């Protein structure tokens, strides 16, 4: 895919491994310059992965608050018509394409795991992924701060730094930024609100009207009035 929209979303602890026989033989990172970097990072996480668990499509595997509010079929339809590509930031796998088949794992992006991914070049992997696909628009949906402090912030940090690196190295996106938690303290409502925001953006085909609305006034879903999301625009 060249053009279109790429989104990065968070992984979660809650997972639902389900065996499937419909696995693709083509890996999205095959023959990519960053492929060996990604595989090296994943290899360092093997002890965290349940090798006996069934291979499950990533978008179906995750079942936490963010994922419970998603219309996964609508997202899949967008992916299959080549207008959208979705990557999941994962403490176990680095980054995972939504339709990639992976196994259950137990890892959080904090402490030594986060440092391992930093040392293995996760920021560069994200940047080179964007340079490979050259999307018109790039969006992230993350709860934490954009700095390194705090475990939940690591996801937003890797995403933000990866996009900025790609922009400095030739990514020609017309829009790039991150939807983030501006207000709200409870993880469940915050992640659910982010998922709802993601779905609103998907449903609008990432229209300027929706992006500008969040940028100017924020997004406060009726179901979670204590949560306010805003948009950090990179370009």
């Amino acid at each position: 895919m060249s053009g279109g929209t790429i989104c990065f979303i968070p992984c979660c602890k809650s997972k639902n491994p389900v065996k499937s026989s419909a696995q693709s033989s083509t890996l999205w990172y095959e023959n990519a310059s960053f492929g060996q970097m990604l595989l090296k990072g994943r290899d360092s996480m093997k002890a965290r992965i349940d090798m006996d668990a069934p291979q499950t499509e990533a978008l179906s595997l995750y079942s936490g608050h963010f994922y419970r509010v998603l219309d996964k079929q609508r997202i899949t339809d967008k992916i299959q018509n080549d207008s959208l590509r979705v990557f999941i930031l994962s403490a176990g796998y680095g980054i995972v394409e939504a339709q990639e088949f992976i196994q259950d794992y137990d890892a959080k992006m904090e402490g030594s795991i986060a440092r391992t991914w930093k040392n293995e070049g996760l920021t560069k992997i994200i940047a080179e992924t964007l340079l490979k696909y050259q999307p018109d628009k790039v969006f992230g949906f993350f709860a934490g701060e954009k700095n390194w402090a705090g475990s939940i912030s690591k996801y937003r940090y890797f995403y933000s730094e990866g996009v900025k690196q790609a922009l400095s190295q030739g990514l020609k996106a017309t829009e790039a930024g991150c939807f983030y938690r501006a207000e709200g303290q409870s993880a469940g409502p915050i992640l659910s609100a982010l998922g709802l925001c993601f779905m609103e953006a998907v449903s609008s085909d990432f229209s300027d009207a929706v992006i500008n609305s969040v940028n100017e006034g924020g997004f406060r879903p009726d179901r979670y009035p204590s949560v306010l999301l805003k948009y950090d625009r990179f370009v």
Side-chain angles (χ1 to χ4, degrees):
M1 180 185 81
S2 180
T5 299
I6 286 182
C7 289
F8 288 81
I9 60 177
C11 66
C12 62
K13 181 178 181 180
S14 179
K15 303 177 186 71
N16 182 34
V18 177
K19 186 175 181 180
S20 173
S21 60
Q23 297 185 38
S24 171
S25 60
T26 303
L27 296 173
W28 62 275
Y29 51 82
E30 278 185 342
N31 302 318
S33 60
F34 57 84
Q36 290 304 310
M37 293 175 62
L38 180 60
L39 290 174
K40 185 171 178 289
R42 290 182 176 186
D43 189 62
S44 70
M45 293 293 124
K46 277 188 175 180
R48 301 279 182 168
I49 296 171
D50 181 357
M51 305 305 291
D52 295 323
Q55 295 276 352
T56 305
E57 188 181 58
L59 188 61
S60 299
L61 175 66
Y62 296 104
S63 56
H65 294 286
F66 183 97
Y67 291 85
R68 292 172 197 167
V69 301
L70 300 186
D71 183 340
K72 293 184 179 181
Q73 186 58 56
R74 177 171 289 189
I75 294 167
T76 298
D77 290 344
K78 297 281 187 183
I79 292 171
Q80 291 179 343
N81 71 25
D82 214 27
S83 64
L84 175 66
R85 189 178 289 269
V86 177
F87 289 97
I88 300 162
L89 285 193
S90 161
Y93 285 84
I95 62 172
V96 178
E97 193 175 37
Q99 293 187 304
E100 182 180 354
F101 282 77
I102 61 174
Q103 291 170 285
D104 191 11
Y105 63 91
D106 183 15
K108 292 182 180 180
M109 193 67 82
E110 60 185 12
S112 62
I113 292 176
R115 289 192 297 273
T116 294
W117 280 115
K118 192 173 186 180
N119 292 338
E120 295 294 349
L122 183 54
T123 295
K124 184 176 181 180
I125 292 167
I126 292 169
E128 294 196 9
T129 297
L130 292 170
L131 291 169
K132 174 185 176 181
Y133 292 113
Q134 286 291 338
D136 293 327
K137 298 180 179 181
V138 185
F139 301 106
F141 297 79
F142 297 100
E145 303 295 329
K146 56 185 174 183
N147 55 36
W148 184 253
S151 62
I152 199 169
S153 296
K154 303 296 193 298
Y155 296 96
R156 185 178 170 192
Y157 168 87
F158 281 124
Y159 164 75
S160 298
E161 293 303 306
V163 176
K164 291 174 183 178
Q165 187 176 119
L167 289 167
S168 73
Q169 295 176 355
L171 176 63
K172 304 299 184 183
T174 59
E175 180 73 54
C178 184
F179 296 88
Y180 67 97
R181 180 276 315 266
E183 296 177 11
Q185 298 300 319
S186 179
I190 291 167
L191 292 169
S192 298
L194 280 165
L196 290 170
C197 184
F198 176 49
M199 279 312 309
E200 183 159 324
V202 169
S203 298
S204 74
D205 288 322
F206 300 90
S207 70
D208 291 342
V210 167
I211 308 309
N212 290 333
S213 174
V214 181
N215 185 51
E216 294 167 8
F219 177 79
R220 193 185 296 274
D222 292 339
R223 277 190 270 175
Y224 306 101
S226 66
V227 180
L228 176 67
L229 305 182
K230 290 192 174 181
Y231 180 66
D232 182 15
R233 177 170 271 148
F234 303 158
V235 65

